[in-house]
Amino acid sequence: MIPTDLDNLRIVCYPDPILREKAEPVTEFDENLKAFVEHMYELMKTGEGVGLAAPQVGISARLFVLNPTGEPEDRKVYINPEFIGTNGVAEREEGCLSLPGINVMMRRARVARLRAQDVEGNTFEESGEDLLARIWQHENDHLNGRLIIDNMSAADELANRKAIKQLKVDYAHSR
Ligand code: CO
């Protein structure tokens, strides 16, 4: 499930079908998983993203990494995450490394509590609000095959129509 050859990993873009799959639970907490997570950190940094989920690098695994500040000490991995509570509503524009050039106004819970495992397999719980809670919800959507373009307003649909069409053309040409 987690590949041993990491050199060919790259960020995949919509409409790659891996982005629509429900990702598989992570069961092996070994050196290979650690190497994969390190690779995810690098790809997130290169892409200048605040979060990256395994399906976005073509791997069906329930894990995501994030770094809301860009500082190396603030990066973190969440493996087999599960929401155990959400509260409030907040609306803000979101982008996605798998949907370059696209921005969508997203309604999210403002506060969330998450249970996940770290790279050693230890379970932990964390509460977050605002940007952190938003990144969790965005990345967790990736693990369930959901993307920010799934419930666009008419205005967002119009604003993003050309970029979405272009991504489909690029994808067809890359095959
Ligand atoms: Co995304």
Side-chain angles (χ1 to χ4, degrees):
M1 178 174 55
I2 304 288
T4 48
D5 180 11
L6 302 174
D7 292 337
N8 294 323
L9 290 181
R10 56 177 185 85
I11 293 174
V12 301
C13 288
Y14 174 86
D16 192 305
I18 184 78
L19 295 171
R20 292 308 196 180
E21 285 177 24
K22 190 174 161 69
E24 299 290 330
V26 174
T27 53
E28 303 279 335
F29 294 82
D30 54 10
E31 291 305 312
N32 191 39
L33 177 66
K34 284 178 190 155
F36 177 69
V37 169
E38 288 300 318
H39 233 82
M40 295 269 298
Y41 286 144
E42 287 308 311
L43 288 167
M44 173 173 62
K45 193 177 161 194
T46 305
E48 295 179 1
V50 292
L52 186 66
Q56 291 183 274
V57 300
I59 304 304
S60 179
R62 301 193 77 77
L63 76 85
F64 60 77
V65 296
L66 59 76
N67 190 346
T69 64
E71 300 297 329
E73 64 267 27
D74 291 329
R75 62 192 200 178
K76 190 161 181 177
V77 64
Y78 298 78
I79 302 172
N80 300 323
E82 257 180 281
F83 283 105
I84 49 181
T86 57
N87 210 343
V89 179
E91 214 171 7
R92 186 170 155 174
E93 208 169 61
E94 293 180 20
C96 179
L97 290 175
S98 295
L99 289 155
I102 291 166
N103 292 291
V104 180
M105 192 60 85
M106 296 294 292
R107 277 171 84 90
R108 301 285 193 188
R110 197 188 71 75
V111 182
R113 188 161 178 81
L114 196 66
R115 180 185 296 139
Q117 285 168 282
D118 66 17
V119 80
E120 310 283 350
N122 303 309
T123 299
F124 64 94
E125 289 185 12
E126 192 180 336
S127 293
E129 53 181 51
D130 299 320
L131 180 62
L132 181 59
R134 179 171 295 274
I135 299 170
W136 286 349
Q137 291 166 82
H138 178 115
E139 301 309 330
N140 192 66
D141 274 356
H142 277 300
L143 306 185
N144 295 320
R146 291 185 48 77
L147 298 170
I148 55 172
I149 54 171
D150 290 348
N151 287 301
M152 286 191 287
S153 68
D156 277 342
E157 223 164 90
L158 191 63
N160 290 309
R161 185 180 294 168
K162 265 190 188 158
I164 290 171
K165 200 175 162 192
Q166 188 60 48
L167 282 174
K168 288 179 178 167
V169 169
D170 292 347
Y171 182 76
H173 286 165
S174 74
R175 306 310 288 168

